[in-house]
Amino acid sequence: MPGDSTKTKLEKLRQIADSADYTGMSYTEIYCDIWDRYNAAFGGNMSAITSGLWTPPEWCDINNQFSDETSKFVHNPLKKEIWRDSGLRRGDEGYHEQYIAHGGKNFRIVALGYDPKTYEDLEEAIAQKYLGKNRLLDFLNMQGELSATGVLDHKLGSEAAFWYEINLGDQLKFMFFPGPWAQPSQKEYDRALLYPLDVKALGSAMRKSLSEANFSGFNFDMQEVLDKAIDDLLSMADQ
């Protein structure tokens, strides 16, 4: 599989999914099994691929298939089980307790091998993992882990985390492919992954863009929260 094209790898992963038997396995075990297959097939970079910050066509295909597979075998059966036993849907009062009781958790934390006591411990562990790594690919993997494990939502709140990631993805693309009409090819996307990332320049660009945005209508100071998030980003890069 290592020398196969992305299309061939995805087809082989589909075939494995079609014949998979998860009888007797927990939702966590199923999720980790799927994650490990995809992560091994795509160079250990599934955190970057699923981050949504870098969107070459092949990465979008990988992310979509992975999401479909985990929905089919983990998320949808879990939601149906909760509905059958409690009549609750996501967003209902008491749903989170039922989610935990039925074996739900932040599956990505487990799949990545972390066992933190707090989100602060988790953030520190992720920062240490990528210490001294300065390629764009490393940065995308790190940011993907911070997002998928819930660190960003915990620090910023879901609304601010959403806008932070939107701005981060926009500025990353503009840094490597300047111009509002840039349509990079898959090879250009792939080549950029190996370049060093100037995080200080990225932070400055994000701050400038956010200073020009209109965040009226929120019941908290969105600009202040996002400024603090950029400060933390630059601090992490200085380590």
Side-chain angles (χ1 to χ4, degrees):
M1 187 178 280
D4 292 338
S5 67
T6 295
K7 183 177 180 180
T8 299
K9 289 179 181 180
L10 287 174
E11 179 56 34
K12 288 182 177 180
L13 289 165
R14 268 192 297 269
Q15 292 172 6
I16 293 172
D18 287 343
S19 61
D21 181 5
Y22 295 120
T23 304
M25 294 175 64
S26 69
Y27 290 121
T28 299
E29 290 169 335
I30 298 169
Y31 185 95
C32 289
D33 188 61
I34 296 170
W35 173 267
D36 289 344
R37 278 202 301 272
Y38 277 77
N39 206 35
F42 297 107
N45 295 310
M46 280 298 289
S47 289
I49 292 169
T50 58
S51 71
L53 297 173
W54 198 246
T55 55
E58 289 185 1
W59 278 23
C60 293
D61 292 341
I62 297 166
N63 185 41
N64 288 341
Q65 184 169 308
F66 173 77
S67 297
D68 288 346
E69 194 169 331
T70 52
S71 292
K72 178 180 179 180
F73 292 108
V74 179
H75 302 300
N76 291 343
L78 178 54
K79 286 188 287 188
K80 288 178 182 178
E81 189 177 311
I82 295 170
W83 169 252
R84 183 192 66 214
D85 294 346
S86 68
L88 295 176
R89 299 185 188 278
R90 186 175 180 179
D92 291 344
E93 185 176 353
Y95 180 86
H96 180 69
E97 288 74 15
Q98 287 294 320
Y99 181 80
I100 299 299
H102 284 79
K105 57 180 65 179
N106 188 314
F107 299 113
R108 189 67 66 85
I109 293 176
V110 182
L112 290 169
Y114 296 116
D115 185 23
K117 290 184 173 61
T118 66
Y119 278 108
E120 288 71 26
D121 290 341
L122 180 55
E123 182 177 15
E124 177 61 24
I126 293 171
Q128 287 299 313
K129 179 178 178 178
Y130 292 97
L131 190 65
K133 299 177 180 179
N134 67 344
R135 297 178 306 169
L136 172 61
L137 179 59
D138 301 316
F139 180 82
L140 291 170
N141 273 311
M142 181 180 71
Q143 290 298 312
E145 291 196 14
L146 291 170
S147 178
T149 59
V151 169
L152 289 182
D153 278 359
H154 174 75
K155 284 181 64 174
L156 309 179
S158 58
E159 289 179 308
F162 172 80
W163 287 108
Y164 170 82
E165 291 183 278
I166 289 291
N167 185 261
L168 178 57
D170 288 345
Q171 296 308 319
L172 280 171
K173 185 175 180 182
F174 189 77
M175 280 187 73
F176 287 91
F177 307 112
W181 311 114
Q183 295 293 331
S185 66
Q186 180 69 45
K187 286 185 178 180
E188 289 173 318
Y189 270 117
D190 291 344
R191 192 180 306 122
L193 292 172
L194 304 179
Y195 295 157
L197 175 65
D198 186 339
V199 180
K200 289 185 177 180
L202 173 63
S204 296
M206 290 179 67
R207 206 183 298 279
K208 181 177 185 300
S209 174
L210 291 170
S211 71
E212 298 167 352
N214 181 2
F215 290 117
S216 61
F218 290 94
N219 59 2
F220 62 95
D221 190 336
M222 176 73 83
Q223 187 66 56
E224 181 180 348
V225 172
L226 294 174
D227 278 340
K228 177 62 168 59
I230 294 171
D231 287 340
D232 289 347
L233 174 67
L234 294 174
S235 177
M236 190 176 291
D238 284 339
Q239 294 181 15

